[in-house]
Structures are given as structure tokens and as C-alpha cells.
Amino acid sequence: MERHAPVRDEVDWPKLGRDTLGRAGGASGPAGTHEAIEQALGDLCDGHSTFLTPEEAARAEDGTPDDQVLPPRAAGSPRASATSR
């Protein structure tokens, strides 16, 4: 993320890393980190980066229309936040 994010020069990477590790700290496996990863990508506020669960990625790979791959995001969802800028 740090190397390739479109907004890489505008992000407080140490803070984003601490916040993300704090959110994922209790994860007992990869699925337990999904919310923390989604939040970290949402915190970039770059209008580009997104996270797909393995299930969402599989639907995207099989040609499912985009509006059926990504679930709608409610106001205040991780992708709507701007805490890292």
C-alpha cells in the first residue's frame, strides 16, 4: 500500500500501520483481518483502493456484474472515513 497508493505522499503511514495492527490484533486467521484491511484502504480516501473478500473476488472473477460483487456501503463505513489525512 505504502509504495503504490495514489495518495502515498499524503498518508501518515506509521499511524495507519498502528491503527490497522490495533484493529487486526485479535484476529485468529486471515478472515479476522478483513475489516482492518478494509478500514485501512478506506482511510486512504483515494477514491481508488478497495478490498474484496475471497468470496467477492471469486464473484468478480466469474464475471458477476460489479453492482453484485461489492456490497453497498453505508454512510460512515470504512470507505467513507478520512482519518488518515
Side-chain angles (χ1 to χ4, degrees):
M1 279 175 43
E2 187 172 351
R3 185 180 312 153
H4 298 289
V7 294
R8 65 185 158 270
D9 296 331
E10 302 170 30
V11 176
D12 180 347
W13 292 106
K15 179 183 182 323
L16 182 63
R18 286 189 307 272
D19 292 349
T20 302
L21 288 174
R23 288 184 194 106
S28 60
T33 66
H34 293 175
E35 188 175 325
I37 295 167
E38 183 177 7
Q39 180 70 48
L41 290 169
D43 285 351
L44 293 179
C45 298
D46 65 3
H48 170 77
S49 301
T50 192
F51 174 78
L52 297 177
T53 64
E55 297 79 17
E56 291 169 336
R59 287 196 305 271
E61 287 291 316
D62 75 7
T64 303
D66 287 346
D67 64 344
Q68 295 177 22
V69 172
L70 291 173
R73 303 295 177 197
S77 72
R79 293 190 183 129
S81 70
T83 59
S84 66
R85 283 194 173 186

